[in-house]
Amino acid sequence: MKTFLKGIAIGAALLSAQPALSADRELLNTSYDIARELFAAYNVEFQKHWEEKTGETVEIKQSHAGSSKQAQAIIQGLKADVATFNQVTDIDILNTRGQLIPENWAERLPNNSSPYYSTMAFLVRKGNPKNIENWDDLIREDVSLVMPNPKTSGNGRYTYLAALGFAQDQFGDNQDKIDDFLASLLGQVRVFDSGGRGATTTFVERGIGDALLTFESEVLNIADRLEGEYEVVTPKVSFLAEFPVTWIDDYTKQNGTEELAKEYLSHLYSEDSQRLLASFNYRVQNETVLKENADRFRDLKLKSIDEIAGGWEKAMKAHFASGGKLDQLQRRR
């Protein structure tokens, strides 16, 4: 297992470090923590596409960390050409705080500039020994959990909100029961890692926990690659996790990469790219690719951020700000 995780990380690093000696153009993609392998594969396909279209070669550099951390780095001067993040608020601040992109960035590409999406799921050990089938199984005293920290990770915030969406469906307007459920779930978390890949490492390599809570795409990828060692549990109610993208207007003008950056993101919507995204277990909008993968993704109720918390601005203030609901619930552990 250690070899597996180290192998995919090293593979991604090698692909991202291909020499630029003969490249005509360069582009820097800043992305979230667990997207290394996805964009390492996409970059190869895009390089072929760009060369066929323009005759130019291009070197694509990758930078991966928690998307909130990446957004801060861009605001502080990391001259990335594109951002491919896992949370809308991390791109919004490139406008509100960095003034690097326009306010209407989400309108520039289809589906609110989110070429793919996912949801939250559980990875459990072979045979599912704790019989975990749904969110309410996660609060049992004999179950220990691993998940990214909602304070530092968009992945962690999505997981928290997915659990909140389930509790809202279960308990209606009874806020005390909703709070009790969330406090119990947080109390069963043995390790809060700072990012999604760290949580995967804790669960797979260190053998900690009965269930890993993270993106469906991540748990399906692990189950595919380590066939027979783990099982995937996708709850019937979960969160619509969109993956927004944008080019960084100020920096692409400085770098002379406007056309290249726009094409890099627009090409994610092509049928071939949508097929590649689906092969990494991301859900896509392309009808043809949807039909091809109809048996891959469970049909479930996906609740949006507006349904669960009235939008990202309200969610961040009410739940994740200092002294917010998350802090209050964790003090009850």
Side-chain angles (χ1 to χ4, degrees):
M1 287 183 285
K2 291 181 179 181
T3 301
F4 160 70
L5 284 177
K6 289 179 179 176
I8 57 177
I10 292 170
L14 288 173
L15 283 170
S16 65
Q18 289 177 350
L21 294 176
S22 60
D24 300 311
R25 307 288 296 275
E26 291 185 13
L27 180 137
L28 174 58
N29 174 18
T30 50
S31 194
Y32 53 98
D33 201 26
I34 63 171
R36 293 172 177 81
E37 296 79 31
L38 167 63
F39 282 102
Y42 175 68
N43 291 345
V44 174
E45 296 303 314
F46 180 76
Q47 286 167 328
K48 294 176 185 174
H49 166 74
W50 184 257
E51 187 164 7
E52 289 173 0
K53 182 175 180 177
T54 68
E56 294 179 334
T57 56
V58 57
E59 181 196 18
I60 304 164
K61 296 180 178 178
Q62 296 179 217
S63 173
H64 294 276
S67 61
S68 299
K69 184 177 180 180
Q70 294 287 58
Q72 291 297 330
I74 291 171
I75 291 171
Q76 292 169 4
L78 176 64
K79 296 187 182 300
D81 299 291
V82 299
T84 54
F85 287 171
N86 62 11
Q87 190 170 322
V88 169
T89 53
D90 290 329
I91 291 190
D92 276 339
I93 67 169
L94 300 180
N95 164 256
T96 57
R97 290 178 53 189
Q99 298 182 331
L100 297 169
I101 62 174
E103 184 177 2
N104 69 339
W105 65 266
E107 301 172 8
R108 302 193 295 188
L109 290 170
N111 304 321
N112 297 319
S113 288
S114 296
Y116 55 97
Y117 65 102
S118 188
T119 187
M120 313 317 294
F122 319 144
L123 187 71
V124 299
R125 303 192 185 280
K126 181 179 181 180
N128 193 1
K130 296 295 179 70
N131 193 30
I132 296 169
E133 300 294 341
N134 207 349
W135 290 101
D136 48 1
D137 292 317
L138 302 181
I139 65 172
R140 295 200 324 251
E141 291 187 358
D142 66 332
V143 174
S144 63
L145 310 175
V146 174
M147 65 177 276
N149 191 334
K151 283 285 188 181
T152 58
S153 166
N155 186 330
R157 287 190 281 274
Y158 281 149
T159 299
Y160 172 96
L161 291 166
L164 173 58
F166 166 81
Q168 291 170 337
D169 280 7
Q170 288 292 109
F171 306 120
D173 295 331
N174 192 325
Q175 190 62 48
D176 288 341
K177 287 191 174 180
I178 292 173
D179 288 351
D180 286 346
F181 172 81
L182 288 174
S184 297
L185 185 142
L186 294 169
Q188 295 307 114
V189 178
R190 186 169 173 188
V191 177
F192 283 108
D193 278 288
S194 60
R197 184 49 52 88
T200 297
T201 300
T202 295
F203 185 76
V204 174
E205 293 193 7
R206 298 173 62 195
I208 294 175
D210 300 304
L212 168 67
L213 281 55
T214 185
F215 288 119
E216 176 191 56
S217 53
E218 176 83 339
V219 297
L220 286 172
N221 285 334
I222 295 169
D224 287 347
R225 291 168 179 164
L226 298 175
E227 186 175 359
E229 296 187 37
Y230 300 95
E231 296 181 16
V232 173
V233 177
T234 306
K236 294 179 181 178
V237 177
S238 195
F239 185 76
L240 172 61
E242 295 181 308
F243 291 75
V245 301
T246 187
W247 57 89
I248 316 298
D249 297 66
D250 275 26
Y251 293 156
T252 55
K253 288 176 183 175
Q254 294 177 33
N255 298 338
T257 54
E258 291 173 279
E259 182 184 4
L260 174 62
K262 292 176 182 177
E263 185 66 16
Y264 182 78
L265 299 180
S266 298
H267 191 62
L268 284 165
Y269 293 86
S270 70
E271 187 168 301
D272 286 345
S273 297
Q274 294 275 289
R275 193 167 284 115
L276 175 69
L277 290 162
S279 76
F280 278 83
N281 292 308
Y282 287 99
R283 298 179 182 233
V284 298
Q285 305 285 357
N286 182 280
E287 292 295 332
T288 301
V289 180
L290 272 176
K291 290 178 182 176
E292 292 172 357
N293 293 276
D295 61 347
R296 186 190 296 263
F297 302 110
R298 180 180 184 180
D299 190 19
L300 68 159
K301 179 180 180 180
L302 290 178
K303 301 183 70 172
S304 70
I305 185 63
D306 289 339
E307 291 177 89
I308 294 174
W312 274 114
E313 185 175 351
K314 290 182 179 178
M316 296 299 289
K317 184 177 181 180
H319 293 276
F320 306 117
S322 180
K325 181 68 77 173
L326 174 63
D327 287 341
Q328 297 168 29
L329 294 172
Q330 287 192 302
R331 282 197 289 270
R332 292 169 55 175
R333 295 170 59 192

